Amino acid sequence: MSIRLGDLTLDPPVFLAPLAGITDLPFRELVSRFGAGLVVSEMIASQDLLNAKPGVREKAELGLGVEGTSVQIAGCEAHWMGEAARYAESNGARIIDINMGCPAKKVTSSSGAGASGSALLRDLDHALTLIEAVVDAVDVPVTLKTRLGWDDNLLNAPELARRAEAAGIQMITIHGRTRCQFYKGSADWSAIADVKNAVSIPVIANGDIVDAESAGEALKSSGADGVMMGRGVQGQPWKLAEVGAELFGSASPEIPTSDAFIEMVSEHYEAMLSFYGVPLGVRVARKHLSWYMDYIETGKELRNQVLTAKTPSETLSLLPVALAPNDHRSAA
């Protein structure tokens, strides 16, 4: 099973969610290497992208040869959204995704038309002006990510989806919570079925999907065409491909163990240093190293040594020891 968007085939339909501070180019390339159907950049504010705010354009950088990559933009003004989409396309983006799901207060709290993210669920007319601006600006497929609604009294994702499809959106991802839920409680995958029934374009289920079992339940409850995963991929960049193989019969990834696992982590670490530069790269890398050590069950003392190492060379010298526990067990 696969999803076709324009001249792109997304196979398997198991996608990497946009995660702030996580889905940068080095991580997206690593996940793609194992066989993910699609990886999505961190959310990028449209005006910041065009104004070259430090660190922002790097979030959208794709790298040559990474076709299954989507750049996600957010904003509240049609002009800037269209221009940001045009910029991303001109720099290699194969898909533009519009964020109308971020629940963060700094994104949703601006008054009136200044609000973006999931706040746009409270003003679908304004939301449609942004969608139309992006669709009109580019030739690549445009997709949308949103939530079930603003709160339990405004569950209007099906209406937004219908109007978005009519405006040219080619795929929609629904996080199974309202904005006011933030990330509390459990995602309601069955409510996503209302969106699936409202449109003919592919619908992707998102929220609390961390492995093949939860992905299967989400697909069954929602009737969705695919799933999007976030937290479950941290420390396990092969996870999307693994879920795709189990649910959709795609090629099984070769899950690294022992020396291969140490080599993968070391290469990812060095890629982050190269991408960000050493001072920032060292800081950004710590969370990824922490997740890898969670996966491998590294002891507390070794873990602390890795995370407090003063130099990249010291970190790289510690990794073979800190990740050695993987030698005595099979991959999870």
Side-chain angles (χ1 to χ4, degrees):
M1 181 177 177
S2 62
I3 291 175
R4 188 79 177 172
L5 294 184
D7 62 351
L8 298 176
T9 300
L10 309 182
D11 183 22
V14 183
F15 306 153
L16 176 67
L19 299 169
I22 298 169
T23 56
D24 54 21
L25 178 62
F27 188 64
R28 295 197 310 269
E29 287 188 325
L30 180 57
V31 171
S32 295
R33 193 173 81 199
F34 282 102
L38 178 72
V39 295
V40 185
S41 76
E42 304 169 71
M43 182 185 75
I44 306 161
S46 55
Q47 223 166 326
D48 289 344
L49 176 62
L50 292 164
N51 292 335
K53 184 177 179 180
V56 171
R57 286 192 175 177
E58 288 86 341
K59 292 181 180 181
E61 188 174 335
L62 299 180
L64 297 175
V66 186
E67 291 192 355
T69 302
S70 173
V71 170
Q72 187 184 79
I73 60 175
C76 58
E77 296 183 35
H79 168 75
W80 291 114
M81 288 289 283
E83 289 300 310
R86 191 175 287 113
Y87 172 85
E89 180 188 36
S90 70
N91 282 272
R94 302 297 300 277
I95 298 171
I96 305 296
D97 187 61
I98 302 173
N99 182 296
M100 294 188 179
C102 179
K105 290 182 179 179
K106 67 179 181 180
V107 174
T108 63
S109 61
S110 299
S111 60
S116 59
S118 57
L120 292 163
L121 287 159
R122 294 188 293 181
D123 188 350
L124 297 193
D125 289 342
H126 181 53
L128 263 291
T129 67
L130 306 180
I131 290 171
E132 291 165 353
V134 173
V135 171
D136 290 345
V138 296
D139 294 322
V140 297
V142 180
T143 61
L144 176 67
K145 189 173 190 293
T146 188
R147 288 184 168 228
L148 297 175
W150 177 257
D151 58 23
D152 290 340
N153 296 316
L154 187 60
L155 299 172
N156 56 354
E159 181 185 354
L160 173 59
R162 280 192 296 269
R163 296 180 66 179
E165 180 182 20
I169 289 293
Q170 296 188 35
M171 183 174 76
I172 185 165
T173 299
I174 303 292
H175 184 110
R177 290 180 174 87
T178 66
R179 182 272 174 183
C180 289
Q181 281 182 272
F182 288 88
Y183 295 97
K184 297 176 182 178
S186 300
D188 186 354
W189 299 321
S190 62
I192 298 173
D194 293 335
V195 177
K196 176 61 182 171
N197 294 332
V199 297
S200 59
I201 56 176
V203 173
I204 307 301
N206 176 230
D208 296 348
I209 300 171
V210 296
D211 52 23
E213 181 180 3
S214 54
E217 286 297 320
L219 290 169
K220 181 179 178 181
S221 298
S222 66
D225 302 281
V227 295
M228 181 172 279
M229 298 173 57
R231 289 173 298 145
V233 188
Q234 294 171 355
Q236 302 178 70
W238 57 83
K239 199 68 178 181
L240 298 180
E242 187 178 47
V243 170
E246 186 163 339
L247 296 183
F248 298 105
S250 56
S252 296
E254 185 174 342
I255 300 173
T257 59
S258 302
D259 290 345
F261 182 78
I262 295 168
E263 182 179 4
M264 181 201 74
V265 174
S266 299
E267 288 179 353
H268 185 197
Y269 180 71
E270 291 180 311
M272 285 184 279
L273 299 183
S274 176
F275 183 69
Y276 290 105
V278 171
L280 179 57
V282 166
R283 297 196 299 272
V284 171
R286 286 184 183 129
K287 57 193 165 203
H288 289 279
L289 295 179
S290 180
W291 292 323
Y292 288 131
M293 289 188 288
D294 284 344
Y295 169 74
I296 213 70
E297 299 176 353
T298 301
K300 184 177 179 180
E301 183 177 345
L302 271 172
R303 179 191 185 91
N304 288 340
Q305 288 181 37
V306 171
L307 298 180
T308 58
K310 302 297 184 184
T311 65
S313 59
E314 184 182 356
T315 300
L316 288 167
S317 69
L318 286 167
L319 288 180
V321 181
L323 302 178
N326 197 45
D327 287 334
H328 69 256
R329 67 187 187 98
S330 61

